[in-house]
Amino acid sequence: MAEKKKTDDRFKKFGTVNFTSLTKVNDFVDYLEQGKVMGTRCKDCGIMFFPPRADCCQCLTGNMEWFEVSGAGTLVTYSKLKYAPVGFEEDLPYCIAVLDYGSYKIFGRIAKDIPDEEITIGMAMKTVTNTLPNGQLNYVFTR
Ligand SMILES: [Zn+2]
């Protein structure tokens, strides 16, 4: 009898609430475990994606490579949440935000240790890996 194929469900480890355990970008989680936040770049047209995509929406190819999100992005916008979707209630209040890295933008959360009064549009922020209290992995924006 053939050996049962092992399911690659590494993506289950990502995020507060995870709706997707199987993706074509499961390596994203391995990189998070190594302390790296990674996106993908199309080798044909150069477009960069975050969150990472396995296929390019311009070329319709899967000719992609990983790149590390490094250096600082610029805080474009943010919003403090006092109400949250199901599953995120325990995290309240938290700030969702967008960082602009020039060739790509990243949607995520601002680290909880940054006081509200120190958050300003245009400030430089870094994207770093983070481990949630329940052991799940994600990434946050910090100074
Ligand atoms: Zn492309």
Side-chain angles (χ1 to χ4, degrees):
M1 204 167 104
E3 196 174 313
K4 188 172 181 234
K5 194 177 174 211
K6 192 171 179 294
T7 304
D8 179 4
D9 60 358
R10 285 172 283 162
F11 213 75
K12 275 186 179 169
K13 297 183 213 167
F14 177 71
T16 305
V17 173
N18 191 308
F19 301 102
T20 310
S21 62
L22 298 172
T23 82
K24 287 169 81 176
V25 290
N26 278 338
D27 289 349
F28 179 70
V29 172
D30 291 345
Y31 287 123
L32 283 180
E33 287 178 324
Q34 294 165 26
K36 295 175 182 176
V37 180
M38 305 288 279
T40 54
R41 180 192 296 114
C42 174
K43 289 187 194 173
D44 293 341
C45 74
I47 191 170
M48 298 164 94
F49 296 101
F50 194 93
R53 301 175 74 136
D55 304 295
C56 180
C57 60
Q58 287 195 357
C59 306
L60 308 180
T61 71
N63 193 19
M64 308 290 272
E65 63 186 356
W66 291 95
F67 72 89
E68 184 173 358
V69 173
S70 60
T74 302
L75 182 63
V76 178
T77 186
Y78 71 97
S79 182
K80 181 127 190 176
L81 300 192
K82 293 183 176 171
Y83 303 93
V86 172
F88 293 85
E89 303 93 333
E90 301 293 311
D91 298 347
L92 290 170
Y94 61 90
C95 281
I96 54 172
V98 175
L99 293 193
D100 188 348
Y101 274 82
S103 303
Y104 57 96
K105 292 184 176 70
I106 298 190
F107 172 79
R109 284 193 199 189
I110 294 176
K112 286 217 171 190
D113 62 348
I114 301 180
D116 290 355
E117 58 273 17
E118 293 179 21
I119 302 172
T120 53
I121 299 297
M123 73 189 287
M125 300 194 91
K126 294 178 294 186
T127 305
V128 298
T129 58
N130 179 52
T131 303
L132 294 160
N134 64 2
Q136 291 283 103
L137 300 164
N138 71 352
Y139 57 89
V140 293
F141 304 143
T142 186
R143 283 176 286 200

